[in-house]
Amino acid sequence: MIAEPNAASTLPSQKENAVHDETVPESPTQNGTCVRNGNLKTPREKRKVREQCENIRRNSPASRRVSQLQNGEVVEAVTLFEVVSMGKQAMQSVVVDWVEAYKQDRNVALLDLINFFIQCSGCQGMVTAEMFQSLYKKDVMQKMTETFDKETGLQYKKFMAYPWILTVTWPMDMDNEDYPLIRTGPYWKKFKANFCEFIAVLVQQCQCSILYDNYLMDTIISLLTGLADSMVRAFRHTSTLAAMKLLTAVVSVHLNLDVNKHNAQRLYEVEKKRLSGKRTSYRLDQLERKRKEYEHKLLEIQNMMNAIFKGTFLTRYRDVIPEIRATCMEEIGNWIKTCPDAFLNDSYLKYVGWMLYDKQAEVRLKCLLGLQGIYSRKELVSRMDLFTNRFKDRIVSMPLDKDHEVAVQAMKLLMLMSQNCGDVLSAEDCEMLYQFVYTTHRPLAVAAGEFLYKRLLSHGGDKVQPKGGKFGASTDQLKRLIHFFLESELHKHVTYLVDSLWDWAGKFLKDWECMTTLLLKNAEEAGEALSDAQESALIEIILATVREAAEGHPPVGRGAAKKILSVKEKKIQLEDCTKITEHFIMVLPQLLAKYSTDAQKVANLLQIPQYYDLDVYSTGHLEKHLDALLREIKDIVAKHSDMSVLEASSRTYYILCREEIAIYSQVDCARTQMIDELMKQLNQLLDCFWQKEGGFCMDAGEISRMHSTLRRVAAFHNAHDLTKWNLYDKTLRFLVFETEHGSLPVLIILPALQCTYFSLLWQLAAVSENSPKETLFPLRRQLRHFSQICTCFLHHKEKDVREKAFMILCDWLLILSHLDSNNNEDAVGLLGYLPNTELQEKLFSFIQEHVFMDGEEEKKDLAEEEKDEACKLDDLHKKRSLLAAYCKLIVYNVVEMTAAAEIYKYYVKTYSDFGDIIKETLSKTRYNDKIQSAKTLILCLQQLFQTHAESQDSSNGVDFSSPSFANIKELARRFSLTFGWDQVKSRESIAMIHKEGIEFAFQGATGGDGKCLPPNLSFLLIISEFSNKLLKPDKRLVITSLVSAVQFGSGSLHFRDTSRYSYLQRYITEPLACRGDKWQPLVWYRNSLLSNEDEQSSVLGSLGEWPPVGSSKTSSFKRKLSNGSVPETSQTEAGSKAPEQQCVSQLSSAAGKSRKRLKSQEMHLQEHLPFLCPGGMRRRYCKDEVKTEDVSEEGPEDTVEDVDVIGTDQDS
C-alpha cells in the first residue's frame, strides 16, 4: 500500500492525496483490489493506481472519522493525522474506531497508522510497503538505506517495519527545519499534546486485546526504530517522541499487569490453603491459568520495553538535536519514578547523570526535574546511594549554572536531597549554597532561602521550647539569623537576605514585638543581651522587614518593575502597615533614646516612620507618642553631624509634616522651633566668624562647630523651604570670600556651597505664573553669579571642592536649560541659561583630568596601590558619578552633541569601568537625533585617525599593523555592534557614516583626475567595519557607483539618492589595476561591500579580473540553479579579505586568483545546497543535471553539515 500524506503545514481540511496498495501474501485481495506497483514506470500507470486506491481508501471503515464545521462548511477528516490535528473529538473514540478497523483488516489499519507517523513528521511524500518474506536477506540489508534518485529528484528511505519493508519517498525541497513538533503557536502546541495523548490512549485501549498479538507492537516498534535512525531531523525527532511516549504507556501497562499478577498470586495462595489436602478445584485451576497469563503478558511487555529502550533511547539520548535529548531525559525520569522496580538501578540512572553535563540548558533541566521526582520519595532515596555519591558534586555546582531555571531547579533538588538523604551534603556544601540568598535572580534566591530556613533557621526550633517565654523560639531563630548574617560579611545586603526568606519565614520575620523586645532587654539579664554588632544587624533586619511588608515588592535589582499586588496581597499589606504603625509608634521613641549616640543605628531607626499609617496617631489618640518621637529627633539632630543621620531626620520631618494629615500643626510647630534654634546658633557663629573686617578669626573648635551647623542646615534645606530665614546671603558670603582670598577651610566651603545651591533651587521653585519681572531680575543675577562661582571652583586646589562644584554645576545647568516656571514665558526667557563654548570646554577638561586620567596621573596612582579595596571602589563610584553628570548634559542637549565624540574615544579603553555609561549615552543621543549621532561617531573616528596619522612618518604612509590603528578599528567595530540587527531602523545612520567617511577619506586629493593618492584613503578601512550594517540594495548601489567611477569617470550615473553613495565618482577616474599597492584600502573597502557571489562576480567581471569564459560559465551555472528544481543559494564571499591580512603586490595577478576563487565558491555552493544526502554520498551539480557519486568518507569537506545524528552509544 502506498500513501502520499499531506504536509503538516496544510490545513486540517485537506484530504489525503493518494493511497497505493501492494500485494500482501497473507491478504491477496484487500478491499477488492490487488495492485503491485513495484514495476510501474510510467506516470499514467502510477496515477491510475492512485485513483483506484483512493476510492478504496475513502470507502474503508476507518476513513471517515470526524467532521468539523469550518467557515460554514462541513470539513471531513480522512486520515488519522487530520483527526488528531483537529482535536475536536475525544481521543478515546478515535482510537476505538482504529482498533475496530484493525480487527477487520490489520494490514490496512497498520498502514494507516504508519501514514499517521510519517505525516506527523511533516513529510510531503509517499509510503510504499512490501513484504519482508518476499525478499532475500541480502536484498533487505541493501535496502536499509537512504538514497537519492537523480532522475526524479526524490529521496528514498527504506527500512524494516516488520513484517514489511517500508519505503518513504519525499521531495528534495522538504524543509528539514519546519515540521509540526517544532512549529510555534497554540495550534501546533495543541497538536503535540494530541499526538502524545493519541499514543497513550492507543496503548491503553489495546492492552486487553491486540497489544499481545505479536504483530501490532512489532510493527510499530520497527517503524519508530527505523525512523529514529534517519538523517532527516523531522523523522528522527517525531519518531523518538513517539517511541518515548509509547514506552511510557507500556510502562503503565506493566504496572497494571504487575498489580493484577500479585492479586492473582495472592488469591491463588488463599484458595490453595483453603483446599489443602483436597483435590484441586476448577477455581484453583482458573487462578493458576490467570497467573500464568499475567506472567506471559509481563514477559511480552518487558520485551517491548527492552526493544524500545535499546532500539531508540540508546541511540537518541545523545542526539545532536537538544529537543530529542531533552525528550529522552524527560521520559526516563518518568519511567524511573513510575516503575522503580524495573528502572531504578544504576543501569538506567547513569544516563541521567551523564546528561547533567549536557551543553544545552533544556536537557540539564529535564534531568533535574526527573531527579526531583525521585528524591522527593523517601522510599526511593535509599536505592540512590551510588548515584548520589557519583554525581553529588555536579549537582552541588549546578546552582551556578548560567541558565536561571536550571539553577533554580538544582537548588530545589538539593533541598530535597538535604531533607531525605541525611548528611549527604557536607558543611562546606551548605555554606556555599547559603550564599545564594544574596543573588540578584529572585527565584534562585527564594529557593536558596527555603534551603537556608529549613536547614539552618528552623532546625530544632520546634523540638525543644527554648528559654525566654513566649518569644523563646523566635529569639533562637533570630539569633541564628543574625549569626549567619554577620558571618556572611555582606552588611549592605540585608534587604536581599530578608527578601529571600520572606516567602518561607514571613511569619517569623514579622514578629517585630520579639525583635524590639530583644533590643530593649537589659544587659543584666544573663544570656539574653546582644552584642553591639548583633544589635546593629538586628536593627538592619527590622528595617528590611518593615520595608518588605509595607512596600510589598522585591528590593532594587530583583525585578524589572514593581510587583502588581492582588486584592489579597493588598489586604495583607494594609494589615501589616497598621501593625507596624501601632507597634513602632510606642516602641520607636524608646529605641531612639537607647541608641541616640550611635549614628548607624539611629539612621536606620529613623527610616521606619516613613512606612507609618499616620492617621493612626489621631484615630488612636496617640499624640503623646508623637511628642516623644519629635523630642528624640530634636535631640538626635543636636548630637549628630553625620549626613546619614541628618538626612534621615529631615526626611522624617518631611513625612510627618504633611498638610493633609491631622498632626500637621503639631509637627510644623516642632520643626519651626528646631530650625529657629539652628539659625540662632548659625548667626552666633557667623558673628564670631566675621568679627574682623576682610578676614576671619576662628580656632579649630569653632570651625568644627560651624561645619556641623552648616551641615545640619543643608540637610534640612534639602527637604524644607528655609527661604524666610535668608540663608542665601549668609552662605554666599563664604563662597565670595573663598573666590577672592582662597583661605577658607574645606569643612566650611562644602556645606556653604550646598546651602547656597538649595536656596536658589527653592527660589526657582517659588517662581509662579504671576511673578512680576521686577522680582525675576535679582534672581537672574543670583543665578549667573552662582554659576560663575561654581565655574571658578572647578580649578580649586582641593579635590573635594572641585568635584562638588562640578556636580552642582552640571545639575544647575540641566535645571536652568529646561525651566518650566508654571507657563511663565518671561521667567523662562530671563532665567534660562545655556553654557557657552568656553564653559563646555572647561567641563570636558574637568572630565578628562578627573575621570579619564592621562598616563602621568596613572603612574602617580601606582604609588597608591596600597589603598584598600573599599577606597578604590569609592573612587570609582565618584568617577562614574562625574561622568554620568556630564553625559546627562549631552543627552539633554545642554552641551552640543559633538562633545560626545571626545567621550566615545575612551569607550574601548575604559569599557570595564565606564562602558555602560558611554553606551547608554550613545543610545540616548541616537534616539534624539539619528543623523547627528552618526556624525558624532564618525567625527570621533576621524579625530583618532588624524592623531594616528600625525604620529606616523608621512613618507611611509599609515601603518596598518600599529596598535593605535588596530584600536581605532576595534572602536569602529564596537560602534557597529551598537546598531543591532535591525538594518532598516539604522539605515539612515549607517548611510551618513559611509557618506561622511568617504568624503573624509578623499579629502585633500589634488588634481581633478584623482591620480594623486588622498592622504586619508586608509580611513576606508575604518568605515569598512560598518559595511555589514548596510542593506543589500545599498551595498549594490555603492558597488555600482564604484565600478562606474572606475570605468567611465565621475558623474556618469545618477541615483535616486545622489547624496548617499555617488561621492566615489568624483575621485576615481582610472581602473584600479593601473594603480599601486597604496590604493589597497579602496580595494578592501569595496570587498567589504560584496554581500554574495552574484554581486562579487558581476563586479569583478566588469573590472576585468575574471576572463569572459569563466564569467559566462558562472552565469550559466547560476541560471540553471535558479530556473531548475534546485533553488538558488547566496553565500557571503569567503574571499573578502580583512585589512589586517598581507597585501598582494600587484593587482594584475588578481585574475588568476579570481579563477581559483570561483572554483572554490562553486564547491562551497555545492556543500551548502539545502538538500540532504546520506552518509557516503555526495551530490555533484553541473550545468544540466544533478549527479551522485560515491566518495571517500575521509576528508572533512565531504561531511554533510545537516546530518543531526550522533552514532556513538554508551555501554549499557
Side-chain angles (χ1 to χ4, degrees):
M1 175 173 151
I2 305 172
E4 183 177 350
N6 295 326
S9 59
T10 56
L11 294 174
S13 61
Q14 288 181 318
K15 306 299 188 297
E16 181 184 18
N17 293 330
V19 178
H20 289 248
D21 191 11
E22 281 203 336
T23 304
V24 179
E26 296 183 2
S27 180
T29 56
Q30 296 178 14
N31 298 318
T33 185
C34 178
V35 181
R36 185 176 184 87
N37 72 330
N39 298 321
L40 296 179
K41 297 296 182 180
T42 64
R44 168 180 279 181
E45 293 175 342
K46 293 183 178 181
R47 184 168 60 254
K48 183 177 181 181
V49 171
R50 285 198 300 267
E51 293 173 354
Q52 292 175 352
C53 295
E54 177 69 14
N55 296 330
I56 298 169
R57 173 71 172 182
R58 294 185 181 277
N59 294 325
S60 63
S63 295
R64 297 180 179 89
R65 292 185 173 85
V66 65
S67 297
Q68 181 179 353
L69 189 64
Q70 287 188 357
N71 300 325
E73 298 181 0
V74 177
V75 179
E76 178 184 333
V78 176
T79 64
L80 278 173
F81 173 76
E82 294 170 350
V83 173
V84 173
S85 298
M86 287 180 180
K88 292 294 183 180
Q89 191 172 352
M91 202 62 65
Q92 189 76 23
S93 60
V94 176
V95 175
V96 168
D97 289 345
W98 184 88
V99 172
E100 292 299 325
Y102 179 87
K103 291 178 180 179
Q104 295 180 13
D105 193 325
R106 64 183 186 182
N107 290 326
V108 173
L110 267 178
L111 289 176
D112 192 15
L113 186 62
I114 291 170
N115 275 328
F116 167 72
F117 287 117
I118 299 300
Q119 287 178 295
C120 289
S121 301
C123 182
Q124 302 177 2
M126 299 184 298
V127 179
T128 305
E130 50 188 327
M131 291 305 297
F132 164 68
Q133 293 87 340
S134 64
L135 299 172
Y136 294 102
K137 185 175 182 180
K138 62 178 182 179
D139 296 331
V140 173
M141 298 306 296
Q142 291 176 356
K143 291 195 175 187
M144 300 298 104
T145 58
E146 294 185 13
T147 59
F148 168 71
D149 190 335
K150 62 183 180 181
E151 296 181 357
T152 61
L154 300 177
Q155 296 185 82
Y156 294 88
K157 177 177 176 59
K158 296 195 176 185
F159 58 94
M160 171 68 71
Y162 186 84
W164 296 305
I165 303 296
L166 294 178
T167 302
V168 182
T169 308
W170 70 95
M172 284 185 58
D173 57 353
M174 174 182 172
D175 190 354
N176 193 41
E177 300 298 328
D178 184 27
Y179 53 95
L181 291 186
I182 64 172
R183 289 177 184 158
T184 58
Y187 177 84
W188 295 111
K189 184 178 180 180
K190 183 178 179 181
F191 167 80
K192 183 178 180 179
N194 292 338
F195 176 73
C196 298
E197 182 186 1
F198 173 80
I199 296 172
V201 174
L202 177 64
V203 175
Q204 180 184 6
Q205 191 68 28
C206 299
Q207 64 179 335
C208 298
S209 56
I210 60 178
L211 191 66
Y212 311 100
D213 65 351
N214 295 325
Y215 192 80
L216 171 65
M217 292 302 293
D218 290 347
T219 303
I220 295 177
I221 293 173
S222 298
L223 168 71
L224 298 179
T225 303
L227 289 177
D229 288 334
S230 173
M231 289 183 293
V232 180
R233 171 179 175 174
F235 289 152
R236 202 166 66 255
H237 188 184
T238 306
S239 61
T240 301
L241 176 62
M244 296 300 100
K245 292 297 181 181
L246 181 66
L247 181 50
T248 301
V250 171
V251 167
S252 300
V253 175
H254 181 276
L255 289 176
N256 294 333
L257 288 175
D258 192 55
V259 172
N260 293 335
K261 174 192 169 184
H262 286 297
N263 292 338
Q265 180 68 26
R266 188 171 62 255
L267 290 174
Y268 176 80
E269 292 175 355
V270 170
E271 187 71 17
K272 188 175 181 180
K273 289 181 180 179
R274 189 175 66 84
L275 298 175
S276 60
K278 302 179 181 179
R279 58 191 181 93
T280 57
S281 65
Y282 173 78
R283 171 67 174 167
L284 192 63
D285 294 338
Q286 186 180 23
L287 290 175
E288 176 68 15
R289 288 194 302 271
K290 199 70 173 176
R291 182 175 61 85
K292 291 183 179 179
E293 179 184 353
Y294 286 139
E295 290 178 351
H296 176 71
K297 289 184 177 180
L298 274 174
L299 182 61
E300 289 192 17
I301 289 294
Q302 290 173 357
N303 292 334
M304 296 176 193
M305 292 163 56
N306 291 334
I308 298 174
F309 185 83
K310 294 179 180 179
T312 304
F313 181 88
L314 289 183
T315 58
R316 297 278 69 82
Y317 83 97
R318 290 186 305 153
D319 194 281
V320 73
I321 303 301
E323 291 89 346
I324 297 178
R325 302 198 300 272
T327 299
C328 293
M329 290 302 105
E330 181 181 12
E331 296 306 319
I332 194 175
N334 293 333
W335 306 335
I336 296 174
K337 183 173 61 176
T338 305
C339 188
D341 294 337
F343 291 96
L344 187 55
N345 56 67
D346 298 325
S347 298
Y348 296 97
L349 286 171
K350 64 182 180 182
Y351 301 111
V352 181
W354 288 339
M355 300 311 288
L356 287 173
Y357 297 88
D358 195 272
K359 293 182 179 180
Q360 294 295 326
E362 180 184 3
V363 182
R364 300 193 299 272
L365 181 62
K366 296 299 183 182
C367 294
L368 292 172
L369 293 175
L371 291 174
Q372 287 179 16
I374 300 171
Y375 278 101
S376 61
R377 298 169 58 180
K378 291 186 177 181
E379 67 273 13
L380 303 181
V381 172
S382 59
R383 300 160 65 177
M384 298 280 292
D385 292 340
L386 184 60
F387 177 87
T388 303
N389 294 332
R390 169 65 178 82
F391 295 103
K392 186 203 76 170
D393 293 340
R394 171 57 181 164
I395 298 175
V396 169
S397 67
M398 291 186 76
L400 294 169
D401 197 282
K402 63 181 180 181
D403 184 84
H404 291 319
E405 186 61 26
V406 172
V408 172
Q409 298 305 326
M411 184 62 72
K412 292 182 178 180
L413 175 59
L414 289 166
M415 180 70 250
L416 295 173
M417 294 174 65
S418 174
Q419 289 178 331
N420 300 328
C421 295
D423 298 330
V424 66
L425 297 178
S426 64
E428 293 77 9
D429 294 335
C430 293
E431 288 296 329
M432 187 271 291
L433 296 174
Y434 292 156
Q435 301 305 313
F436 283 97
V437 295
Y438 297 108
T439 186
T440 56
H441 183 59
R442 191 172 191 273
L444 177 58
V446 170
E450 178 189 10
F451 184 84
L452 173 65
Y453 178 72
K454 294 182 179 179
R455 178 86 181 186
L456 181 66
L457 300 182
S458 64
H459 180 66
D462 301 329
K463 294 181 180 178
V464 180
Q465 181 70 19
K467 298 179 181 180
K470 64 177 182 178
F471 298 128
S474 297
T475 301
D476 189 47
Q477 287 183 335
L478 269 176
K479 289 184 177 180
R480 286 198 294 267
L481 178 61
I482 293 170
H483 177 72
F484 167 76
F485 176 57
L486 293 176
E487 289 293 324
S488 301
E489 298 181 353
L490 295 171
H491 304 294
K492 295 182 180 180
H493 295 73
V494 65
T495 54
Y496 289 91
L497 173 61
V498 169
D499 181 61
S500 301
L501 294 169
W502 195 256
D503 293 347
W504 307 104
K507 182 178 180 181
F508 147 64
L509 292 175
K510 292 179 183 179
D511 194 352
W512 295 296
E513 185 179 358
C514 173
M515 297 179 186
T516 54
T517 302
L518 192 60
L519 284 174
L520 293 172
K521 281 185 178 295
N522 297 323
E524 291 79 13
E525 300 183 25
E528 295 293 339
L530 301 176
S531 65
D532 182 69
Q534 289 176 330
E535 288 178 340
S536 299
L538 181 54
I539 290 174
E540 290 183 35
I541 291 173
I542 291 175
L543 176 60
T545 55
V546 168
R547 181 187 295 115
E548 186 85 16
E551 294 181 350
H553 58 78
V556 176
R558 277 198 178 167
K562 290 186 177 181
K563 180 181 177 182
I564 300 177
L565 302 179
S566 62
V567 176
K568 182 179 179 181
E569 290 173 334
K570 289 181 179 179
K571 181 180 179 181
I572 295 174
Q573 183 184 10
L574 293 175
E575 293 175 352
D576 289 340
C577 286
T578 304
K579 183 180 177 182
I580 290 169
T581 306
E582 292 175 349
H583 177 72
F584 283 99
I585 275 179
M586 295 179 287
V587 175
L588 185 60
Q590 303 175 38
L591 293 173
L592 291 174
K594 181 176 181 179
Y595 300 108
S596 60
T597 58
D598 193 316
Q600 180 185 359
K601 295 173 185 174
V602 168
N604 288 326
L605 290 172
L606 285 174
Q607 296 182 49
I608 295 177
Q610 64 180 299
Y611 304 107
Y612 281 2
D613 180 6
L614 298 177
D615 293 331
V616 175
Y617 274 114
S618 56
T619 58
H621 304 288
L622 301 174
E623 288 81 2
K624 63 178 181 178
H625 296 288
L626 177 61
D627 290 334
L629 176 62
L630 295 175
R631 284 195 304 269
E632 294 299 332
I633 296 176
K634 181 179 178 181
D635 292 341
I636 288 171
V637 171
K639 291 179 182 179
H640 292 275
S641 62
D642 184 84
M643 283 305 296
S644 61
V645 176
L646 296 176
E647 288 176 353
S649 302
S650 175
R651 179 166 178 79
T652 302
Y653 271 108
Y654 177 77
I655 294 296
L656 298 175
C657 197
R658 296 178 184 173
E659 296 183 1
E660 65 272 13
I661 59 178
I663 61 174
Y664 168 74
S665 58
Q666 184 178 356
V667 179
D668 183 57
C669 180
R671 179 183 63 176
T672 304
Q673 182 181 0
M674 185 193 65
I675 294 176
D676 284 338
E677 294 180 3
L678 283 177
M679 298 307 300
K680 181 179 179 181
Q681 183 182 3
L682 177 62
N683 290 330
Q684 292 175 354
L685 291 172
L686 287 175
D687 293 339
C688 296
F689 192 87
W690 302 110
Q691 63 181 354
K692 290 187 178 180
E693 184 178 354
F696 65 92
C697 180
M698 294 186 71
D699 56 17
E702 292 175 336
I703 292 176
S704 177
R705 287 194 294 274
M706 176 66 74
H707 168 69
S708 300
T709 305
L710 285 174
R711 284 169 70 92
R712 294 187 184 100
V713 172
F716 276 86
H717 207 359
N718 187 11
H720 306 272
D721 187 5
L722 309 183
T723 305
K724 64 181 181 180
W725 282 275
N726 194 22
L727 272 173
Y728 175 77
D729 294 333
K730 300 173 183 178
T731 56
L732 182 65
R733 187 176 178 184
F734 284 114
L735 305 182
V736 173
F737 182 87
E738 176 63 19
T739 56
E740 295 176 353
H741 300 87
S743 56
L744 280 180
V746 178
L747 294 179
I748 295 179
I749 297 174
L750 292 177
L753 189 63
Q754 195 78 34
C755 286
T756 308
Y757 174 56
F758 290 146
S759 297
L760 291 175
L761 285 180
W762 281 108
Q763 292 184 54
L764 276 177
V767 174
S768 63
E769 184 177 356
N770 300 322
S771 298
K773 276 189 177 183
E774 292 74 14
T775 61
L776 297 179
F777 284 107
L779 179 58
R780 181 186 182 186
R781 287 193 297 270
Q782 293 174 356
L783 299 179
R784 301 297 187 269
H785 190 195
F786 181 71
S787 300
Q788 293 173 0
I789 291 175
C790 291
T791 305
C792 181
F793 280 172
L794 292 179
H795 304 285
H796 197 273
K797 59 182 179 180
E798 294 293 338
K799 181 181 178 182
D800 291 339
V801 176
R802 296 196 301 266
E803 292 178 350
K804 190 68 176 179
F806 180 84
M807 294 295 295
I808 290 179
L809 184 59
C810 288
D811 292 341
W812 190 239
L813 292 174
L814 189 61
I815 293 172
L816 295 181
S817 61
H818 291 76
L819 281 179
D820 184 15
S821 301
N822 300 320
N823 300 321
N824 191 335
E825 297 182 359
D826 294 334
V828 174
L830 289 173
L831 304 179
Y833 177 72
L834 287 174
N836 54 27
T837 305
E838 182 182 0
L839 180 55
Q840 293 184 28
E841 293 176 355
K842 289 181 179 180
L843 291 173
F844 174 71
S845 298
F846 184 90
I847 287 294
Q848 200 166 24
E849 294 172 3
H850 291 75
V851 178
F852 306 120
M853 291 182 296
D854 296 333
E856 296 180 359
E857 296 182 359
E858 291 179 356
K859 291 179 181 178
K860 294 179 182 178
D861 289 343
L862 294 177
E864 302 179 3
E865 289 183 354
E866 294 78 10
K867 287 184 177 181
D868 58 356
E869 193 67 24
C871 292
K872 293 180 181 179
L873 290 176
D874 187 56
D875 291 342
L876 178 60
H877 177 70
K878 289 181 179 178
K879 292 179 181 179
R880 288 175 57 84
S881 299
L882 294 173
L883 180 61
Y886 181 74
C887 289
K888 281 196 296 184
L889 299 181
I890 299 174
V891 170
Y892 290 100
N893 298 319
V894 180
V895 174
E896 294 180 1
M897 192 181 294
T898 53
E902 299 292 340
I903 301 295
Y904 296 158
K905 294 178 182 179
Y906 299 93
Y907 181 52
V908 176
K909 185 187 300 184
T910 62
Y911 186 80
S912 59
D913 294 335
F914 313 115
D916 56 335
I917 299 176
I918 299 176
K919 188 175 182 180
E920 184 66 16
T921 304
L922 199 157
S923 175
K924 294 293 185 181
T925 54
R926 184 176 298 156
Y927 178 80
N928 294 337
D929 191 338
K930 294 181 180 179
I931 301 301
Q932 189 60 35
S933 176
K935 290 183 177 181
T936 305
L937 289 182
I938 202 66
L939 176 62
C940 171
L941 297 174
Q942 290 172 1
Q943 292 175 353
L944 289 174
F945 180 82
Q946 287 177 333
T947 303
H948 169 74
E950 292 172 359
S951 64
Q952 300 290 319
D953 187 0
S954 59
S955 60
N956 297 329
V958 178
D959 184 8
F960 303 150
S961 61
S962 63
S964 60
F965 189 83
N967 291 337
I968 300 174
K969 276 189 61 61
E970 175 62 18
L971 181 61
R973 188 185 71 83
R974 294 287 190 94
F975 287 162
S976 176
L977 293 176
T978 61
F979 286 97
W981 295 102
D982 192 347
Q983 293 177 309
V984 176
K985 184 178 180 180
S986 59
R987 185 177 188 181
E988 296 180 1
S989 301
I990 297 297
M992 180 56 63
I993 289 176
H994 281 272
K995 175 183 180 298
E996 297 289 331
I998 292 172
E999 291 185 346
F1000 176 77
F1002 289 96
Q1003 189 177 13
T1006 59
D1009 56 357
K1011 293 181 180 180
C1012 181
L1013 181 71
N1016 300 330
L1017 186 65
S1018 301
F1019 190 73
L1020 293 175
L1021 299 178
I1022 306 297
I1023 64 172
S1024 66
E1025 295 293 339
F1026 299 90
S1027 297
N1028 62 336
K1029 297 298 180 181
L1030 281 170
L1031 292 173
K1032 288 184 179 180
D1034 296 342
K1035 290 182 180 181
R1036 194 176 300 113
L1037 191 59
V1038 173
I1039 296 169
T1040 305
S1041 175
L1042 175 61
V1043 173
S1044 302
V1046 169
Q1047 291 184 341
F1048 307 109
S1050 61
S1052 59
L1053 292 178
H1054 299 279
F1055 301 100
R1056 180 180 55 187
D1057 185 2
T1058 57
S1059 63
R1060 182 170 293 175
Y1061 299 122
S1062 59
Y1063 347 101
L1064 293 178
Q1065 301 180 63
R1066 310 175 196 165
Y1067 309 111
I1068 308 173
T1069 58
E1070 62 180 84
L1072 292 181
C1074 299
R1075 305 180 186 268
D1077 293 341
K1078 294 182 179 180
W1079 288 88
Q1080 279 301 313
L1082 183 58
V1083 178
W1084 285 330
Y1085 177 59
R1086 179 206 58 196
N1087 289 341
S1088 70
L1089 296 169
L1090 299 175
S1091 61
N1092 52 39
E1093 290 89 342
D1094 290 332
E1095 293 177 2
Q1096 183 183 13
S1097 61
S1098 62
V1099 172
L1100 294 180
S1102 62
L1103 289 176
E1105 295 189 19
W1106 288 352
V1109 177
S1111 178
S1112 177
K1113 183 177 181 180
T1114 304
S1115 301
S1116 176
F1117 177 72
K1118 293 289 183 180
R1119 285 194 299 271
K1120 181 61 181 178
L1121 289 180
S1122 60
N1123 297 331
S1125 61
V1126 183
E1128 183 178 357
T1129 303
S1130 297
Q1131 294 292 335
T1132 304
E1133 182 208 5
S1136 296
K1137 302 296 189 296
E1140 291 80 0
Q1141 296 175 345
Q1142 186 177 3
C1143 304
V1144 293
S1145 59
Q1146 295 292 336
L1147 285 176
S1148 58
S1149 62
K1153 295 185 178 182
S1154 298
R1155 287 193 293 269
K1156 295 180 181 179
R1157 186 160 62 246
L1158 174 61
K1159 184 175 180 181
S1160 65
Q1161 290 166 356
E1162 191 171 338
M1163 298 301 296
H1164 184 71
L1165 182 64
Q1166 296 173 15
E1167 294 177 1
H1168 288 77
L1169 285 173
F1171 312 124
L1172 302 178
C1173 59
M1177 303 294 294
R1178 185 184 66 181
R1179 294 183 294 276
R1180 174 176 295 174
Y1181 303 97
C1182 66
K1183 180 177 179 180
D1184 298 320
E1185 62 181 1
V1186 182
K1187 298 182 179 181
T1188 61
E1189 65 174 332
D1190 296 333
V1191 297
S1192 174
E1193 294 183 0
E1194 303 174 355
E1197 66 275 9
D1198 295 332
T1199 303
V1200 180
E1201 295 182 2
D1202 291 334
V1203 176
D1204 298 334
V1205 183
I1206 296 180
T1208 57
D1209 303 326
Q1210 298 280 10
D1211 296 335
S1212 59

